[in-house]
Structure formats: C-alpha cells, structure tokens
Amino acid sequence: METSVSKPRAYIILLILAFVLGYLSHSHPLLSQTASDVYEHNSFPNQCAAPVPSSDVRRTIISLVFNNTSPWEAFPPAHARPLLWQDWNKGWGSQMPVFEHLIEQVRPRTIIEVGTFLGASATHMIGLTRKLGLDTQIVCIDDFRGWPGYYDEEKSLKMVNGDSLLMYQFMQNVVRANATENIIMLPFSAGTALGGLCDWGVYGDLVEVDAAHDFHSAWVDINNAFKVLKPGGVLFGHDYAWVGVRTAVHIFARLHGFQIRIDGEHWILY
C-alpha cells in the first residue's frame, strides 16, 4: 500500500491550493493580512502600573484629574443651579439584583463603572455597600454627553452653549444620595479614562462595563476594563441582550478562558 502521495499528484494539489488561496486573498483582503497585523489588532497592553492602595484611589484621581480640588467644592455653579432637576436619576437596569449579589460576594473596596449616565446604578451600589458596612469608592467613567440626538421627553436639561449639563445632573444626584465622598467621576471617553487608571495603578474589585452597545466599542471596553481588574475581582456588564455586546463577551471569554453567567440583563465572567 502506498504511504505517500505521488509527485505528479502532489504538484496538482499544490497548484490547486495556490489558486484557491490566491483567489481568497484577492476576494477577502483580511485573509492577506500578515499574522502580526491580526495580532496587533487584537492585542491590548496588559502591563499597568503597580496598584495604589484602595484608600488612596480617591486622592490619586482628585490629584491627577482635578488639580487637588474636589469637583464637589462650591457645587453647583451659579449658571447651572436653576437648570438642574432635584429628582432625575434615570437609568436602565440600575437596581437589578446582580449588584447586591456581587457586592455581597466580593465586598469591594473599589468599584469601576464604565458608563454611568446619571449615576443611578452608582448611587444604588453605594447604598448596598453601606448596608454591609463597607468603605467603598466608586469610580464612574462617562463623557456625560449622552449620544447624538439624545433628548428625554419626560425630563431633560437645557443645553448651555453646547453643553448638555449631564455631568452636573450626575453630580446633583450624587449630592442627593449623600455620596460625594464615595463616588468620583472621570469625565472622559472609556478608552481614555481606563488608560489613565492603568497608568496610575487604580484597579477595581468589581468592574462593570455598561457603555456602547456595538461590537467594536464593547470589545475595546471589555479588554481595557479587564486590565484594571484586581486579581480575584469580577468583571461584569449590562446589555447582554444586544448582539454586539453578547458577541464581544463570548469572544473575550473564549480567548481568556472564562465562563459566562447571566444574571437578569447582566453578564458575569468567572
């Protein structure tokens, strides 16, 4: 019995393979990329700074972002005061059981929330940590711009010189929850803010991703959020029902060896 392919047959097979690969490379440019291109596209820096103590998280952010002055000092500014709602803390899935489940499990000193909008889930989480007697700091990441065309028909804010005032309303809600010493915000895009936390050595025991719903945004947010997750911490997020989010979660879990647990509208990696 022959144990190898004859030379003429091998040449024919190689010619066919060369033709097929050439066709695919021409028809599908992604197949013609080098392996290094694909690797670079899917790689994220994983070396962040040495961790600062949990007790120094708030001080670090106020020093590096707010020039050593609490953003709640002399808040609200005169021009915004008459425009803010005393009671408008809108959110989506902001008081779901997942928050209580994870806070009781992890007992976090630091929580990082990627996508906070008006602070409904952040103020809810602070209430839960207080019930457990925890001294927790929540870092809220949001550019506080909403999204193009956003307008709330029930309650919205008057725009002032192009500013939607969403950050001021978020701050007003934190004041109303008596949580100005436990919540601090980073008013930047998710990538910029998470990059800053990585550079400063600020890590979360719990890190929640609840920002954009498209695949590429969710993919980048999850990867960057994972960099600032403490060893033994939990990475979770909202909007599992959205196809883009769900796809990003499953690919990330598969690449990093995580299992996915669903808790209501939220996904949890473990």
Side-chain angles (χ1 to χ4, degrees), residues 77-231:
H79 76 280
R81 183 179 293 108
L83 303 177
L84 300 177
W85 293 91
Q86 290 300 310
D87 182 17
W88 184 41
N89 199 1
K90 182 174 182 174
W92 297 269
S94 302
Q95 297 192 18
M96 301 294 284
V98 65
F99 297 108
E100 185 173 7
H101 297 164
L102 291 178
I103 288 172
E104 288 181 348
Q105 172 191 330
V106 178
R107 303 183 69 85
R109 291 290 307 280
T110 304
I111 300 173
I112 298 172
E113 181 180 55
V114 184
T116 197
F117 195 50
L118 296 177
S121 56
T123 52
H124 175 62
M125 285 191 284
I126 280 299
L128 294 173
T129 62
R130 286 173 175 170
K131 289 180 180 179
L132 294 174
L134 303 175
D135 182 14
T136 303
Q137 188 70 215
I138 300 184
V139 180
C140 292
I141 295 173
D142 205 298
D143 61 9
F144 298 103
R145 302 297 304 170
W147 51 90
Y150 171 75
Y151 183 81
D152 189 284
E153 294 182 357
E154 179 185 1
K155 289 182 178 180
S156 202
L157 296 167
K158 293 182 179 179
M159 189 169 286
V160 178
N161 298 113
D163 183 2
S164 62
L165 300 181
L166 289 176
M167 186 178 76
Y168 287 153
Q169 186 63 53
F170 159 81
M171 296 176 70
Q172 175 70 23
N173 295 335
V174 174
V175 169
R176 188 169 181 270
N178 192 29
T180 58
E181 293 298 314
N182 297 98
I183 295 177
I184 193 70
M185 71 281 195
L186 286 178
F188 307 102
S189 68
T192 298
L194 289 169
L197 296 181
C198 179
D199 291 341
W200 306 330
V202 174
Y203 298 83
D205 304 292
L206 281 179
V207 180
E208 182 194 14
V209 178
D210 186 11
H213 302 146
D214 65 284
F215 167 76
H216 290 93
S217 297
W219 173 249
V220 172
D221 289 345
I222 292 169
N223 277 273
N224 283 330
F226 183 58
K227 295 188 303 182
V228 294
L229 179 69
K230 282 185 181 179

